[in-house]
Amino acid sequence: GAVVSQHPSWVICKSGTSVKIECRSLDFQATTMFWYRQFPKQSLMLMATSNEGSKATYEQGVEKDKFLINHASLTLSTLTVTSAHPEDSSFYICSARDYSNTGELFFGEGSRLTVL
Amino acid sequence: GDSVTQMEGPVTLSEEAFLTINCTYTATGYPSLFWYVQYPGEGLQLLLKATKADDKGSNKGFEATYRKETTSFHLEKGSVQVSDSAVYFCALSPFGAGGTSYGKLTFGQGTILTVHP
């Protein structure tokens, strides 16, 4: 089946630095990708909808200046956590829908961010 | 707003035992319902889905029936295997499968299942 890949799978950074996480659809084009955040022992929370060639749509309560999303091509969306702080430490997961085939939603394996 | 509540885990079973993971939801309209599974080190994978009331989704021996009257979508398997050990997420989409907002899922908190030989 279709594959969505995230990179890096884990990252540790110092407080105040910025971290970029990539989400790629490997064998299909994704005009829309979704970014989720998961806290330990909690459910996935939708952060934003990433639209190719246009601005992302953020969910209520998500700081767009903190979590920059860029969807520059049909196979790549990036999430940049700017000026990271320890409270940004979390598991970030992206997903993309394969409209060309079954329409099924595919998820990346997730990226664990730890901010020291 | 929409919400999904799953039974808390972890759930520990012996091989060939019967599995039930409860899931109830709150939503307006007619949501689609899903079960996703996450194996260690992998991304979430769709296990099964149901898009309207009384539909039964099934896959790999797992089943779940969309019960609108009880707003539930409980996951069941008659005989679990060690390879079923994973985290299971119940989720809903507020629109039908063809909706453009189909990817905006609301998830339950996940249930860790461990199956021992």
Side-chain angles (χ1 to χ4, degrees), chain A residues 32 34 36 38 41-46 49 57 59 91 93 95 97 99 102-110, chain B residues 36 38 41-46 49 87 89 96-110 112:
Chain A
T32 303
F34 303 89
Y36 290 84
Q38 184 181 26
K41 298 184 180 180
Q42 295 188 30
S43 65
L44 284 74
M45 301 295 295
L46 179 66
T49 303
T57 304
E59 296 299 302
F91 196 55
I93 302 173
S95 67
R97 187 179 182 191
Y99 286 91
T102 63
E104 184 176 340
L105 193 64
F106 293 94
F107 284 80
E109 60 273 62
Chain B
Y36 281 86
Q38 184 176 31
E42 300 183 17
L44 276 72
Q45 302 173 25
L46 178 64
K49 68 180 180 183
V87 183
F89 292 91
T100 55
S101 298
Y102 178 64
K104 298 181 70 172
L105 298 177
T106 298
F107 284 88
Q109 70 270 39
I112 300 173

Side-chain angles (χ1 to χ4, degrees), chain A residues 32-79:
Chain A
T32 303
M33 292 183 174
F34 303 89
W35 285 96
Y36 290 84
R37 181 174 180 177
Q38 184 181 26
F39 293 99
K41 298 184 180 180
Q42 295 188 30
S43 65
L44 284 74
M45 301 295 295
L46 179 66
M47 298 174 64
T49 303
S50 173
N51 305 297
E52 188 269 335
S54 65
K55 292 182 179 179
T57 304
Y58 290 82
E59 296 299 302
Q60 191 172 12
V62 177
E63 300 176 60
K64 59 183 65 177
D65 294 330
K66 158 69 81 174
F67 300 100
L68 300 179
I69 292 173
N70 184 284
H71 195 153
S73 77
L74 287 171
T75 59
L76 174 64
S77 175
T78 60
L79 167 68

Side-chain angles (χ1 to χ4, degrees), chain B:
Chain B
D2 297 345
S3 68
V4 175
T5 302
Q6 286 180 237
M7 66 182 286
E8 290 193 23
V11 174
T12 303
L13 296 173
S14 298
E15 205 165 26
E16 299 184 0
F18 184 85
L19 169 71
T20 300
I21 301 177
N22 290 337
C23 171
T24 57
Y25 68 90
T26 302
T28 56
Y30 301 92
S32 295
L33 301 173
F34 308 86
W35 276 100
Y36 281 86
V37 58
Q38 184 176 31
Y39 299 104
E42 300 183 17
L44 276 72
Q45 302 173 25
L46 178 64
L47 181 59
L48 52 84
K49 68 180 180 183
T51 57
K52 61 182 187 295
D54 299 326
D55 267 2
K56 176 186 284 188
S58 61
N59 185 26
K60 299 181 181 180
F62 291 89
E63 294 183 337
T65 301
Y66 188 150
R67 301 288 188 197
K68 190 168 178 62
E69 63 275 16
T70 55
T71 61
S72 65
F73 193 55
H74 304 321
L75 181 69
E76 297 182 337
K77 186 174 185 180
S79 177
V80 293
Q81 305 299 313
V82 173
S83 57
D84 293 326
S85 298
V87 183
Y88 292 82
F89 292 91
C90 185
L92 71 80
S93 170
F95 303 96
T100 55
S101 298
Y102 178 64
K104 298 181 70 172
L105 298 177
T106 298
F107 284 88
Q109 70 270 39
T111 302
I112 300 173
L113 170 66
T114 302
V115 181
H116 292 297

